[in-house]
Amino acid sequence: MTIVETIQCSHCGAPIEFKPGEIIATCKYCGYTQAIETGQVFTFEHSVLMNKYDPVQVEEPIREWMRGGFLKPGDLARKSKITEKDLVYLPFWVVSVEAKSTYKGVFERVAPAVVKDGSVEKEYDWLVLARKASDFPTREYNVPLEGKVPYDFRKIEGFAKVLNSEVDQDQAVEMAKQQIEDHHRFLAQEDIDKIIEIKTDYTVKQVVYLHAPVWFVKFEYKHEAYSLLLDGATGTVIKGDIPSSGF
Ligand SMILES: [Zn+2]
């Protein structure tokens, strides 16, 4: 059983439910977003991406995904039974940042090996999932950020679930920095074979709290259960299990 606690919304007084571990909550009656512990006003931009589908329409992009691609069984779209379709607004932090890494390393592809310097400089809208226990494939999700609008609770479908954040903005920025440096390490290794040192400077431009609509779908095909994640803003399948074609 999941323990659910409540606080009172600082804006409208309605009860806001939250679960252990959640630290930022959005009131479903007025859309006000606040820190659970302090009830403090949330000072960051809170955005949402709009979902385009209702539970019936969403079957269309799912079937379309099933029909496409030669790796899938030919009868997948026809023979699959969609058993679950849940729309969840997942919380993310979008950290807009310029990152420049300078590194020193050993280039071993020549003899004798040489020490080389180099740098990687890039701009990102880096996405950090604001939930801790989740295997959501953040890196495979191309968030259609251009579609984001200010969060409006009246536009959230009654059948949808809005998840609260378990990560605060400072933690999110730290996570983004860590992940970006790991990514730059990976990029540096195209240039050098062994990194001696790497240092990254960041200029954080903007931090946005974002709820993005993701459909959690389960389907059955030949008595086996499979799942897929679909971006409700674009209809793109973020990740989907592909049953074996049986070859
Ligand atoms: Zn409220």
Side-chain angles (χ1 to χ4, degrees), residues 191-209:
D191 183 39
I192 49 173
D193 299 298
K194 225 178 257 160
I195 295 172
I196 299 169
E197 58 183 31
I198 183 163
K199 187 182 170 296
T200 309
D201 290 312
Y202 306 91
T203 310
V204 177
K205 303 265 170 176
Q206 199 190 18
V207 180
V208 173
Y209 184 49

Side-chain angles (χ1 to χ4, degrees), residues 49 51 55 60 97 115 128 138 166 177 187 189 193 207 214:
L49 290 167
N51 163 61
E60 187 45 43
V97 60
V115 172
V128 176
T138 313
E166 296 176 332
K177 287 179 176 177
L187 294 177
Q189 273 159 348
D193 299 298
V207 180
V214 175

Side-chain angles (χ1 to χ4, degrees), residues 21 23 27 33 69 74 83 99-101 105 126 137 146 152 162 173 177 184 214 218 231 235 242:
I23 54 180
C27 175
T33 295
T83 52
K100 182 178 182 179
S101 300
W126 198 268
E146 53 291 343
D152 182 349
V162 180
V173 169
K177 287 179 176 177
H184 283 189
V214 175
K218 290 214 157 65
D231 177 352
I242 299 176

Side-chain angles (χ1 to χ4, degrees), residues 112-213:
V114 289
V115 172
K116 259 176 91 172
D117 292 312
S119 66
V120 181
E121 191 172 358
K122 281 178 186 288
E123 257 188 81
Y124 301 101
D125 288 319
W126 198 268
L127 195 67
V128 176
L129 179 64
R131 299 290 291 186
K132 283 178 176 160
S134 171
D135 53 3
F136 185 80
T138 313
R139 296 277 79 84
E140 286 157 61
Y141 177 33
N142 287 314
V143 197
L145 281 177
E146 53 291 343
K148 75 179 167 59
V149 293
Y151 186 85
D152 182 349
F153 73 101
R154 285 161 298 200
K155 292 191 178 141
I156 303 293
E157 301 82 347
F159 58 83
K161 195 160 135 193
V162 180
L163 293 186
N164 288 323
S165 178
E166 296 176 332
V167 174
D168 72 21
Q169 55 272 26
D170 296 339
Q171 290 172 316
V173 169
E174 279 318 301
M175 285 161 79
K177 287 179 176 177
Q178 195 108 58
Q179 292 166 6
I180 288 169
E181 187 164 283
D182 289 346
H183 177 58
H184 283 189
R185 267 177 194 280
F186 170 78
L187 294 177
Q189 273 159 348
E190 291 173 359
D191 183 39
I192 49 173
D193 299 298
K194 225 178 257 160
I195 295 172
I196 299 169
E197 58 183 31
I198 183 163
K199 187 182 170 296
T200 309
D201 290 312
Y202 306 91
T203 310
V204 177
K205 303 265 170 176
Q206 199 190 18
V207 180
V208 173
Y209 184 49
L210 174 81
H211 274 102

